[in-house]
Structures are given as structure tokens and as C-alpha cells.
Amino acid sequence: MEYILIFISAIFVNNIVLSQFLGICPFLGVSKKVDTALGMSAAVAFVLTLATIVTYLVQKFVLDAFGLQYLQTITFILVIASLVQMVEIVLKKVSPALYQALGIFLPLITTNCAVLGVAILVIQKDYNLIEGIVYAFSTAIGFGLAMTVFAGMREQLEMVNIPKGMRGMAIVLVSAGLLSLAFMGFSGVDGGLKQVFGLE
């Protein structure tokens, strides 16, 4: 039940983009088309889950073991950047089709602060490895959901006659704000679920 709560909370209640404002760059930059949003979401889900496992192990068996917790941020940045490069090289050799499908999205993930944010949040929330993996994967689904819905909104906006002063980034930011408000409707759901499952 704890895992279900983490899953629902990460996707809807504490959505990484719309509630915690991490990963805004790809959210605004790669959400013009639903296809590109889905591609980015798949790449983020893969890297986010893998990065969380590696950073968790680095934290527990290197940083905590040697009292180097103060090096957490810089270590995680280096681990994530190296991991993305390694995944890119392996995919190019093992599965060229998947590498082509992910295309430009893999290098973009290196600069996605949501990946670093989730790796740090897993440690701060004191999750074990399984909880951390569930949280990372759920967060990636939440990221993908937000991006895909937003990309759909932007595609619809292309077909609408928008006033001249609101065209471009202005209407994009207003739409993002409205989507964020819509997701605020889920606040309190996790508290209700805790009571239902008797976790409080």
C-alpha cells in the first residue's frame, strides 16, 4: 500500500513539473508536439529510474560510508552526466533503432534538473532502494503526463486565433499556469489515501 501511495502522490499530488517546478526547461522547450513530448518522456523515464538506482548506491556505499555527504550534489551531477553518456554509447551499439528513436532527447536529459532533483529527494525522504525506484518511475510518469497533456494543449492553441499580444511564449506560460492549477485539484488526495489504507 505504501508503494501505491508513493505512485499516486508522485504522479498527481506532487507532480515534479507542476508542483515542484523541476524540469521546466524541457517542459516548455520540447512540448510543441505530442510525438516529441512522448519521446522525451520515455527517455526521462529510462534515465531517471537508472540514475536513481546508481545515485542511491553511490550515496549509501560511498558517500555515507566515508563521511563524504557534503559532496552529494557534485557527485550526483557527475554520476548522472556519465550515466547518460554511457547509456548513449551502449544504445548506439546494442540497439540503433532505440537510439534513433530517443535521438536528441538523451543529451538533453543531462541538463534536466528533474533527474538530479529526484535523486536528491530519494535520499532526503529516506526511501529504501525499492521505494526510491517506485518514486523515480512514478515521477517520470508524472513528468510524461504533464508534458503530453501540455503538448496537446499547445497543438490545440496552434489552431486558435489568439490575440496578438498573447501569442508566443505569453500564451504558453498562461497555459502552463492553468495546467498547474488543474493539478492542484489533486492536493489532499494522498492524505485521504493514507486514511483509507490506515497508514497514518
Side-chain angles (χ1 to χ4, degrees):
M1 293 305 168
E2 187 87 22
Y3 299 127
I4 294 169
L5 189 64
I6 291 170
F7 185 78
I8 292 169
S9 180
I11 294 172
F12 299 108
V13 183
N14 297 314
N15 187 284
I16 196 81
V17 181
L18 302 172
S19 296
Q20 300 183 56
F21 308 110
L22 291 170
I24 295 288
C25 295
F27 178 70
L28 294 174
V30 195
S31 60
K32 288 180 183 171
K33 299 278 177 202
V34 172
D35 293 345
T36 54
L38 287 170
M40 184 65 172
S41 303
V44 166
F46 178 66
V47 171
L48 195 58
T49 309
L50 197 61
T52 301
I53 295 167
V54 175
T55 52
Y56 181 89
L57 296 172
V58 167
Q59 178 73 36
K60 294 296 172 192
F61 297 109
V62 179
L63 300 181
D64 288 351
F66 297 103
L68 300 170
Q69 291 90 339
Y70 61 92
L71 292 174
Q72 184 191 62
T73 306
I74 190 75
T75 306
F76 282 14
I77 289 169
L78 291 170
V79 166
I80 291 164
S82 307
L83 195 64
V84 171
Q85 290 300 313
M86 212 162 32
V87 165
E88 202 173 350
I89 292 163
V90 169
L91 278 181
K92 202 171 186 178
K93 288 194 185 299
V94 176
S95 178
L98 183 60
Y99 177 76
Q100 287 295 325
L102 293 175
I104 189 74
F105 303 125
L106 268 175
L108 281 174
I109 293 168
T110 312
T111 58
N112 187 347
C113 57
V115 180
L116 177 64
V118 169
I120 291 171
L121 283 169
V122 165
I123 304 302
Q124 286 179 350
K125 289 174 185 276
D126 204 27
Y127 285 148
N128 61 38
L129 184 58
I130 305 298
E131 287 171 342
I133 292 166
V134 170
Y135 178 72
F137 186 69
S138 307
T139 301
I141 292 172
F143 178 84
L145 176 69
M147 269 198 70
T148 309
V149 170
F150 191 54
M153 286 172 70
R154 287 183 75 173
E155 282 188 0
Q156 288 297 314
L157 285 170
E158 293 292 320
M159 300 179 221
V160 179
N161 188 17
I162 300 162
K164 196 174 181 181
M166 287 296 289
R167 287 179 194 159
M169 194 48 75
I171 194 68
V172 169
L173 292 173
V174 169
S175 303
L178 291 171
L179 186 60
S180 185
L181 282 171
F183 268 72
M184 278 181 69
F186 293 111
S187 61
V189 170
D190 54 342
L193 286 171
K194 278 181 184 176
Q195 287 181 338
V196 169
F197 295 130
L199 294 171
E200 279 191 325

